[in-house]
Amino acid sequence: MKVAVVGAGIVGLSAARFLGKRGHRVEVYERFPLFANRGSSHGRTRIVRRAYPDAFYTQCMAEAYPLWGDLERDSGQTLVNEVGLLYFGRRDAPRVVSMVDALQSLAVPHSVLNGVQAKELIPQVRMETNEVAVFTPEAGAVDAAAALRVSHDLARSYGVEFHSGEAADVAKLEREHDAVVLAPGAWIREYVPDLDVRVTLQTYGYVQATIPGPVWIDDESLTYGFPSDDLGQKVGAHLPGPEFDPNQTERIPTQSDLDQISSAVHRRFGVESLRVEHVATCLYTSTPDEDFRIGRLGSKTVFASACSGHGFKLGPWTGRILADIVEGNDSPERHPRFQWPRERGEV
Ligand SMILES: Cc1cc2nc3c(=O)[nH]c(=O)nc-3n(C[C@H](O)[C@H](O)[C@H](O)COP(=O)(O)OP(=O)(O)OC[C@H]3O[C@@H](n4cnc5c(N)ncnc54)[C@H](O)[C@@H]3O)c2cc1C
């Protein structure tokens, strides 16, 4: 088949890679230069983890996590620094309880640590007596930039062609191709105007602290962090920033987000310097239920919005679903939590 893929983020590149590997003639269209920082997949790192508070995603990750190993094998490059995840929260907090339930029921390796045990992994950590840290070894930091690069390189090695620097004309692509895959990230509403997504500007940065060990997520503040690197410790918050037009070029970091991040890190690790440096922004495209959206537009086009701030770890998996749909071996209807429009997919 002759397939056009719109968007060279992690989802579009993954779809193109799978389709190219399966022998299709694939062209990728990206409106900015490849690997630019205008969408959602750029930057150094993303958290990958088996553990989710929602058993549905823990189940999805059972399929998605091994795809990172496949990508490492195919590319010959290590992408995931598998340092594990510590999820901090009150023992009785709903997300902590449901996460542990999901890990238990799906037999995902994990342990529930108290403050003393958690200190063996991150010595600086501070925990209240009513808090636990859920540790899952199958988690870590994926090198996002390298993941995009190797996905692109592999796709190219399978014969995939790339066109960048211009927004794709989808109607034209539909005329010229057997199928079109739309993975346009924050620009999805240009194509699916009624999609229930909101685009927000997210601010993150680096605190000047040497905090080793697992990636971490704080249940109460929804802040997260990575093991320190040469810039310090990357920290952010999984909370929606201000609403944002993705076509706007000026992206001003939100000071209140930075204040919130630094105070959460101070509370959790006692880091004295509250200055967040190397500040950057990225776009979240979020749905009210934080589920992804997958649907069809006409007879030739399938779209995906792997959104709500957690789509990178599932990017190769979502790309594979899109490739399967193009080949007629899967359909949006088989993914009721994602299917758009919702009328037919209500769960
Ligand atoms: C600060 C931040 C932290 C995050 N942390 C995590 C994390 O730890 N773990 C995790 O799993 N996820 C995380 N995410 C979410 C994750 O990064 C996104 O869900 C994922 O990158 C979305 O990928 P995508 O390919 O759908 O979109 P994008 O990467 O935005 O790719 C879409 C591409 O389509 C292009 N495009 C749009 N319209 C057109 C057109 N008409 N023609 C051509 N090209 C077009 C855009 O330019 C863009 O490059 C985070 C996101 C942010 C912002």
Side-chain angles (χ1 to χ4, degrees):
M1 290 174 84
K2 194 174 175 207
V3 187
V5 175
V6 177
I10 189 64
V11 175
L13 286 175
S14 300
R17 176 167 61 86
F18 280 105
L19 286 162
K21 192 173 185 181
R22 295 174 190 175
H24 299 288
R25 282 165 57 208
V26 183
E27 291 177 279
V28 175
Y29 293 82
E30 167 54 51
R31 73 194 307 156
F32 299 115
L34 291 175
F35 316 119
N37 62 356
R38 298 283 300 278
S40 302
S41 297
H42 60 274
R44 282 190 171 191
T45 43
R46 293 289 186 283
I47 292 176
V48 285
R49 56 185 158 113
R50 294 279 312 268
Y52 260 90
D54 181 342
F56 169 74
Y57 283 101
T58 312
Q59 183 70 61
C60 295
M61 283 310 299
E63 292 176 19
Y65 198 78
L67 295 184
W68 288 106
D70 293 351
L71 185 55
E72 289 185 331
R73 262 187 306 281
D74 287 353
S75 63
Q77 197 168 322
T78 301
L79 300 170
V80 179
N81 181 15
E82 199 177 48
V83 286
L85 165 78
L86 278 174
Y87 190 92
F88 300 113
R90 272 194 352 261
R91 185 181 296 279
D92 60 354
R95 281 189 291 259
V96 173
V97 172
S98 58
M99 175 179 283
V100 173
D101 284 350
L103 293 170
Q104 269 165 2
S105 66
L106 295 165
V108 178
H110 69 283
S111 38
V112 180
L113 309 181
N114 61 29
V116 175
Q117 293 164 322
K119 269 183 185 296
E120 288 172 20
L121 295 169
I122 301 184
Q124 298 97 322
V125 75
R126 296 170 170 192
M127 286 168 59
E128 306 286 340
T129 48
N130 64 350
E131 286 186 316
V132 292
V134 182
F135 178 68
T136 41
E138 289 173 313
V142 61
D143 182 333
L148 295 182
R149 178 70 63 178
V150 301
S151 300
H152 163 273
D153 292 352
L154 280 169
R156 211 179 254 287
S157 75
Y158 304 138
V160 174
E161 290 177 19
F162 285 82
H163 309 271
S164 59
E166 205 182 331
D169 176 344
V170 174
K172 183 164 177 278
L173 294 181
E174 284 179 337
R175 286 195 296 277
E176 294 171 352
H177 295 77
D178 302 311
V180 177
V181 171
L182 267 179
W187 286 264
I188 186 72
R189 286 187 64 176
E190 286 185 9
Y191 309 100
V192 196
D194 62 339
L195 198 69
D196 58 343
V197 295
R198 211 161 70 94
V199 176
T200 55
L201 185 70
Q202 303 299 126
T203 299
Y204 63 92
Y206 289 77
V207 287
Q208 297 316 298
T210 306
I211 299 175
V215 294
W216 57 267
I217 298 173
D218 187 297
D219 183 68
E220 198 181 313
S221 63
L222 288 178
T223 45
Y224 56 82
F226 293 79
S228 298
D229 60 23
D230 56 319
L231 297 182
Q233 183 179 53
K234 180 181 166 185
V235 284
H238 180 63
L239 294 168
E243 209 145 337
F244 195 76
D245 173 357
N247 291 313
Q248 203 173 313
T249 46
E250 194 181 23
R251 297 175 177 202
I252 300 169
T254 311
Q255 187 56 45
S256 56
D257 289 358
L258 294 174
D259 294 344
Q260 189 190 10
I261 292 166
S262 58
S263 67
V265 174
H266 176 65
R267 181 182 150 267
R268 183 57 72 196
F269 301 106
V271 173
E272 289 307 333
S273 163
L274 297 185
R275 243 176 95 79
V276 184
E277 295 175 1
H278 309 289
V279 172
T281 60
C282 180
L283 300 180
Y284 260 21
T285 307
S286 300
T287 55
D289 55 14
E290 298 207 346
D291 282 342
F292 301 163
R293 298 287 183 258
I294 295 181
R296 293 183 199 276
L297 290 178
S299 59
K300 281 192 176 176
T301 298
V302 57
F303 70 85
S305 179
C307 51
S308 300
H310 65 119
F312 202 95
K313 68 182 80 56
L314 288 143
W317 181 78
T318 311
R320 190 177 67 176
I321 290 176
L322 291 170
D324 291 344
I325 292 174
V326 164
E327 291 183 316
N329 296 322
D330 199 350
S331 68
E333 295 74 25
R334 286 201 204 154
H335 302 274
R337 285 272 298 253
F338 300 158
Q339 184 194 356
W340 185 265
R342 297 309 259 175
E343 295 84 79
R344 286 179 289 136
E346 219 77 61
V347 285

